[in-house]
Amino acid sequence: MLVDSPPEQRAATAAAPPTRRAIRALGLLVSVVILLLVALASIAIGAKELPLDQVWHGLFHDTGTYGDVVVDARLSRTVLGLLAGAALGLSGAVLQALTRNPLADPGLLGINAGASAAVVTAITYFGVSTLSGYVWFAFFGAAAVGALVWFLGGSRGATPVRLALAGTAISAALYGYLQAVMITDDAALNKLRFWTVGSLASASNPTILQVLPFLAAGTLLALGLARPLNAVAMGDDTARALGANLGRTRALAMLAATVLCGAATAACGPIAFVGLMVPHVVRSFTGPDLRWILPYATVLSPVLLLGADVVGRVVARPAELQVGVVTAIIGGPVFILLVRRRRTAQL
């Protein structure tokens, strides 16, 4: 016999709990708020202590005072941190999907090595001595290595394993070249050591404007690949059955990751672990759907990068630790934890 539900039960059923999509959207909104708070902290807090009224005055007035100059520098630094953090996190998420390896990062395919090798070549053989000059060499070095990895990995027939092997081999060769040049050229060593550690300290408006078009194009391309990369992540056979074009998707994913990571590395130097940690952590609460992983990684990666930069400015006052050092200190233990958890899950 069927019995009608009481009115209270029908009312409870009608008031259904929030869907998972709504919860994810709310979480993304909260992440944006957190990012704004961290960005404000990046402007307000520095190696040089300034009262909040001077920070406020420096943001909205330009009288040429010392405080205004400091705030202008912090503002450029914060903007670059926002852009570079988003690029590194997004490129890491794309590469993890492309290689089907949750522990992959932009360094896996040799992009960082290509940028570093190009910069040391520019310093040693072309006499380039300014950051605005490094940017273009670093970007094109990253792009050239990305194209070479794609070619050696099989181009249209590339597989995740081939791409990873090609990237590892090229990285080893380029880092060998890098060390050889730095050992034999003291001038190159002195100029390069500040760039290779990864830093936001040299941020400037011209540098931001140089890399902004590449970062914008790479971001739009990466976000547009969420659906086809979801299919690729299920395996080649399943992706083909779903109608995905594997060759085109992998080529565009390589292009997006190379442009994003190349531009960020060109502006800040190679910064480790951001592209590894954030997408991996995001995946733990969004699930495997890249339509959510990519936006979350875009928002939360700058939180990590700017937060690490603020920590580096505070702990060593009146000097500062470069952001690449801080992310490495944080990222090393986190990486070990991720590897141990992955091994435990496989047992």
Side-chain angles (χ1 to χ4, degrees), residues 97-132:
L98 176 65
T99 61
R100 296 202 289 269
N101 179 359
L103 298 179
D105 76 335
L108 180 67
L109 299 185
I111 297 172
N112 287 345
S116 300
V119 169
V120 76
T121 300
I123 293 172
T124 304
Y125 300 110
F126 297 99
V128 178
S129 59
T130 63
L131 181 61
S132 59

Side-chain angles (χ1 to χ4, degrees), residues 47 77 80 131 192-203 267-274 304-331:
R77 185 170 183 160
L80 183 59
L131 181 61
L192 191 67
R193 62 193 176 98
F194 295 105
W195 183 83
T196 54
V197 76
S199 174
L200 299 176
S202 300
C268 308
I271 298 176
F273 291 110
V274 175
L304 173 61
L305 188 62
L306 288 176
D309 192 42
V310 171
V311 170
R313 289 183 242 172
V314 172
V315 298
R317 282 176 173 169
E320 65 178 71
L321 287 178
Q322 304 302 328
V323 67
V325 175
V326 179
T327 58
I329 292 172
I330 298 172

Side-chain angles (χ1 to χ4, degrees), residues 36 142 179 200 213 226 234-235 272:
L36 291 176
Q179 294 299 321
L200 299 176
M234 297 179 185

Side-chain angles (χ1 to χ4, degrees), residues 10-21:
R10 290 198 300 269
T13 303
T19 63
R20 192 173 184 182
R21 181 187 297 271

Side-chain angles (χ1 to χ4, degrees), residues 216-265:
T219 299
L220 292 175
L221 178 57
L223 293 175
L225 289 171
R227 286 182 180 273
L229 281 175
N230 271 341
V232 171
M234 297 179 185
D236 291 0
D237 294 336
T238 303
R240 292 191 185 95
L242 293 173
N245 186 322
L246 290 176
R248 182 176 64 190
T249 299
R250 285 176 176 150
L252 292 176
M254 274 290 298
L255 177 62
T258 299
V259 170
L260 286 169
C261 184
T265 303

